[in-house]
Amino acid sequence: MNIHDVATKSGVSIRALRKLEKLKLIAFDPDDDSDEHPRAAEIRFLLMRNQQLSAALLVELIDKPAALYDLRKYEARAREQIAALGDVAGTVAPIEALAVISDAAGADASAAQTLADWLTGILPSEPVSHYWVATRLLLPLVPGQRETLGKKISLALMNVRRLESFHPYWQSVPGAYGRSVINYFQKRENSLASFDL
């Protein structure tokens, strides 16, 4: 069995199992089910705990939808998270936005503005999550690029949020366990302007 299956069946945390593995007191078979998607056990483990899948894992499932069947009873939860992303393929980031991710992560205001210009053109009026945005930045990249640029997306988006012009397009709201969650949405008109005086 792999570490995620052992943790699920035994109730022992992955952290504790990793410590035992480092001490060579226990060994896990990473390829327990060779026909299964390589990260299926990890995804099942997260979904079992009702956790949000990372943008990288969501993109893997979008790329290889057959892997959803490897999630067994957690397939529906994964499909719900994918459905919440909407039409990712139809609104992926253009090459101009992808090319500036590293610079935007490095606090280059011009690069951050390029990302902001793309985002303001595709954001819906209903609030969407970081995962909604990140999957659109990751999907058009090849796997090697996804790993290197994927680590920079959060920092790049943080610098986009620092732009004065982008302030009307996002807000931080309280989330679970006292953590704040960033929501992105289409710019809202001033609510006072709608009153007929």
Side-chain angles (χ1 to χ4, degrees), residues 15 33 38 55 76 97 115 128 168 172-173 176 184 189:
R15 185 182 215 168
D33 195 345
L115 282 177
V128 292
S172 178
V173 295
Y184 298 91
E189 296 301 322

Side-chain angles (χ1 to χ4, degrees), residues 53-72:
L53 298 178
S54 69
L57 289 174
L58 288 167
V59 166
E60 275 195 49
L61 292 175
I62 292 168
D63 268 351
K64 299 173 184 161
L68 286 163
Y69 299 110
D70 294 334
L71 303 181
R72 302 176 197 144

